[in-house]
Every structure is written in C-alpha cells, then in structure tokens.
Amino acid sequence: MKNTVNSAELAKIPFVDVENVRGRVLSNTIFHDGRWRWWLAVGEPPQIQELSIHSLGEGYYFGHRAANETDIMIPFLDFVAQHASFNEVLPAIGGLQDDVLNLAASVAKFPILHRSGLANSRMVATEIEYLVTLCRSVFDLLQEALAALWANVILADPSIKKRRLPASFREVVMFKGVIADAESTARRFGIPIEIAKCYATCAGFFSALRTSRDNVVHGGSRVPAIFAQEDGWYIQEQLISLPNVPIWRESERLANGLVPLMPAIGAIIACTLRCCDDFSSAFSGTIGLLPRLVPDMHYFVTSVHCPSLHVLLQDARVRMRDGLF
C-alpha cells in the first residue's frame, strides 16, 4: 500500500504499527491470523476496505505462523518487509520475490520430467541452466536492494562521507579482476566491516555460479551427461561445481561415480538464499533499524510449487548441519 492512504485509514488494519511507519511502505496487505484477510485502498480519497478471501494460491503474506506447513519464510524478505520497505528498495524486492516463486516452479519440474519417462538430458540441462541463471540474477537484485538500503542509512557521524554502493554485485566483490577481501571492500565503499565480510564470504559462491552454468551449457555445443535412474536424475559430480563443497554423502555415490542431481540443486538455492539472509543479519547487527511494521508476524511465501522447494531446502539444511556445505 504505497502511501496512498492516511494514518487513520491505515489504522483499520489491526496488525500494523501505524505510529512507526516513518516513511516506509506497507509492501503487502494480505494477512493470515487463522483466516485469510486482505485490505485494499478503494475510492477517492482512498479508503481501506477489508475483502474476504478463501485462500491464497500464490503470493506473499504476513502471518503469526505459516498458513501451510510448506510455506516458506525467507529472512531477508522478512527483514525488508518489516524494517526497510522504502519506496526505493521495493522494485528490486519485487523482482526478488518473483525469482523465489520461479525457483519453486523450476524445482517442481524435475520430478515431473522424471515421471514422464522421457530420459531427455536436454530438457533437464536447460532447466538447470535456467535455475542457475535465476540464482545469478538474485545477486543483482539483492545488490540493487542493498544499494537502496545503504542510501537510506543516516550515519551517526555526519563528518563521515557516505559512498554510493554500485548496483552490480560483481562490481563490489571483484577488484582488478580478482575477488576482493573484506578490508579492501570496506575501504573502497566506506561500509561497515561486518557488511564487507558478507560480500567477501559470498564472493566465492557467486563466482562458482557462472562456472556451474558454463559446465551445463558447454558453450552451446553438446548436451552434458544427465542420467535417469529409478529414484531420480543423476549427474557427473563436476557438472555442478561449488567452491570446497562436497554436497553429497558417500552413500549417495553410485559405483560409476554418478551422484544425484537434486542435492546439488538444493545446495545452489540454499547458498543463494543464505547469502541474502547473511546481509540482513549484517545490517541488523550494524545499523539502527526502524521498528517492525507488523509486530508479532513474519513474511511468508506460498505457492502450489512451494512444497517441492520446501522439501529441497529442508534437505539442504540437514546437509549444512552435517557440514557438507
């Protein structure tokens, strides 16, 4: 609800901390408190009206808890929706939200392709290429959001000249053709060292995304070896390359060296989202935040495709806990 209503009208939504809006935008007006509730601004001048909806098939909402057990809360999106939903930030966040829904839809295709009985490596390879490219685009949208967030930060010491962050993630993490360390990144852009460390930590994985994409595409020449087994798709381990990340358990490796595809897909998505979440933690730990716009609620995504992504991320979290990546 982009500043189209006054505070008195906004106060009709019982979950919003109207006293602490302070220049931010309520980025979503769908809520779940045991039932679905949706408010819209209608008329001129705009007035808030509540609509009754039976369910939400796809989209984002605020809730005390997930409306469905497979709905997903992404901490970075929750952080922005609650603390940093400025007009300048929301275009990139809208793109990020679409990318998350597209990731869920892409993940849901792999078992469908397997069940079809068509051992078509090209269809699977193009889906991997799309998914890796999508994760790569998340970083550029993330950087656009971070640059806009940083632009809205007011430094406590007015004598310090704040520098603009570029809109390209690569421009921040690379310097003279090599990955920059945290200290040099902090100096170049005048950002807190904790935020610079996030860039340095994510840089290796960010670079590996392009390598993985190139391994799948092979410069447009031949289709990589992707095999259909009874329990799913299998690949050669080098097809998806992440820095110092084993991904697979020894028990998952076949005698011929093949490994299951989906743990690798889960690792790529989980590492992408973990980078986003690390930045929200870094900002929270170093920047004084405005109060939560919707206290006692979190920001969730729901979709018919969320169950597939939910299962994949659960498996990835177990692998992270076990130290695989």
Side-chain angles (χ1 to χ4, degrees), residues 176-189:
K176 295 183 178 180
V178 298
I179 293 175
D181 59 36
E183 289 74 18
S184 65
T185 298
R187 287 194 302 271
R188 276 193 299 144
F189 298 108

Side-chain angles (χ1 to χ4, degrees), residues 24-273:
R24 292 174 291 173
V25 174
L26 182 60
S27 55
N28 200 304
T29 56
I30 301 176
F31 299 80
H32 190 272
D33 66 344
R35 62 188 177 98
W36 290 105
R37 307 180 70 178
W38 184 19
W39 281 267
L40 286 180
V42 297
E44 189 61 44
Q47 295 182 319
I48 292 289
Q49 291 186 5
E50 183 176 1
L51 301 182
S52 296
I53 58 174
H54 179 266
S55 63
L56 180 63
E58 177 179 279
Y60 290 79
Y61 65 93
F62 291 101
H64 295 296
R65 59 189 62 83
N68 309 292
E69 63 179 14
T70 56
D71 292 350
I72 299 168
M73 195 278 286
I74 296 171
F76 180 75
L77 295 180
D78 181 69
F79 164 78
V80 172
Q82 293 283 15
H83 298 290
S85 57
F86 302 103
N87 272 315
E88 303 88 342
V89 178
L90 292 185
I93 294 301
L96 250 174
Q97 291 185 162
D98 283 343
D99 278 358
V100 170
L101 289 168
N102 289 338
L103 284 171
S106 180
V107 168
K109 292 179 186 178
F110 290 101
I112 294 173
L113 288 172
H114 185 262
R115 290 194 301 269
S116 72
L118 299 174
N120 193 325
S121 292
R122 189 175 298 277
M123 293 179 71
V124 178
T126 53
E127 199 59 41
I128 298 172
E129 179 189 354
Y130 169 75
L131 193 146
V132 172
T133 302
L134 192 60
C135 286
R136 171 64 178 80
S137 79
V138 164
F139 279 91
D140 282 336
L141 290 168
L142 169 66
Q143 182 56 30
E144 287 180 31
L146 293 174
L149 283 172
W150 180 242
N152 276 278
V153 171
I154 299 174
L155 298 181
D157 184 351
S159 67
I160 299 176
K161 185 177 181 181
K162 190 173 63 169
R163 301 174 196 171
R164 180 188 63 85
L165 279 174
S168 165
F169 195 88
R170 187 181 188 281
E171 192 174 335
V172 179
V173 300
M174 303 293 291
F175 185 64
K176 295 183 178 180
V178 298
I179 293 175
D181 59 36
E183 289 74 18
S184 65
T185 298
R187 287 194 302 271
R188 276 193 299 144
F189 298 108
I191 57 177
I193 188 63
E194 291 80 4
I195 296 175
K197 285 179 179 178
C198 281
Y199 282 111
T201 300
C202 295
F205 171 71
F206 171 77
S207 178
L209 279 177
R210 180 169 183 172
T211 301
S212 292
R213 180 186 177 278
D214 290 345
N215 287 347
V216 175
V217 178
H218 283 291
S221 55
R222 63 184 181 85
V223 179
I226 301 174
F227 303 90
Q229 302 291 320
E230 287 187 5
D231 59 342
W233 297 105
Y234 278 71
I235 59 173
Q236 296 169 329
E237 184 172 350
Q238 66 271 21
L239 181 64
I240 294 181
S241 174
L242 300 182
N244 303 314
V245 173
I247 300 177
W248 297 275
R249 301 181 179 91
E250 286 302 318
S251 60
E252 293 176 311
R253 301 177 190 276
L254 301 184
N256 56 10
L258 296 179
V259 289
L261 168 64
M262 296 315 294
I265 297 298
I268 288 174
I269 296 175
C271 288
T272 299
L273 296 180

